[in-house]
Amino acid sequence: MYKMIVAGQVRKAFQALNRGEYGSVTDQLAPGAVYEFVGDHALGGRRSTPEVILAGFTRMFEIFEAGRFDVVDVLVKGTPWRTRVISIVDITATVAGEPYRNRMIQVLDLKWARITAIYSLEDTQHLAAVLDRAASRGVRQAAAAPLFG
């Protein structure tokens, strides 16, 4: 039952992201939570403060117009005091006027229903190429350095 509830909450969080409501994720962060997005690009970096994690979401929504996260599967393992969630998510968006599609694997670590760590991995070569094209078309945030802090 617990695993079904967690999987449902993860799906709801992605639905909220589809509406641009990233507070559905940031409000669930435990003190000291870390968000690592793999890659040397504008969305990459290791964020370890609520302000920098929020800045990462803000940047993502500035780059991805009409971004959509479609959950393919959610796998939950563990107990309420140590839960790991793996989500497979298809991403579609418009970036600098062109369609964008990618698949993301995201790992969440939870402790008593609070997010302690997020690890996101997409096809980073594809994402970096799209960000480079967007930057060449004037999307300033697409050329930004990875976020750390």
Side-chain angles (χ1 to χ4, degrees), residues 98-136:
E98 290 190 20
Y100 174 77
R101 291 183 176 277
N102 210 336
R103 179 163 276 183
M104 175 177 66
I105 305 298
Q106 187 171 79
V107 179
L108 295 176
D109 288 331
L110 307 171
K111 184 174 184 177
W112 298 112
R114 305 287 289 174
I115 299 169
T116 59
I118 305 172
Y119 179 85
S120 297
L121 175 64
E122 291 185 39
D123 177 340
T124 55
Q125 286 182 302
H126 176 58
L127 176 57
V130 167
L131 292 172
D132 285 345
R133 275 197 311 276
S136 73

Side-chain angles (χ1 to χ4, degrees), residues 21-22 30 37 43 47-48 52-53 56 90 92 94-95 109 117 137 139 142:
E21 299 168 5
Y22 38 87
F37 195 117
L43 298 179
R47 304 149 174 98
S48 55
V52 179
I53 292 171
D90 285 338
T92 55
T94 302
V95 179
D109 288 331
R137 294 179 179 171
V139 179

Side-chain angles (χ1 to χ4, degrees), residues 4-17 28 71 73-74 76 85-87 89 106 108 110:
M4 286 177 35
I5 292 169
V6 171
Q9 291 301 108
V10 168
R11 289 177 187 280
K12 285 181 186 176
F14 279 110
Q15 290 169 355
L17 285 175
Q28 296 179 48
V71 177
D73 202 1
V74 178
V76 180
V85 180
I86 299 172
S87 302
V89 181
Q106 187 171 79
L108 295 176
L110 307 171

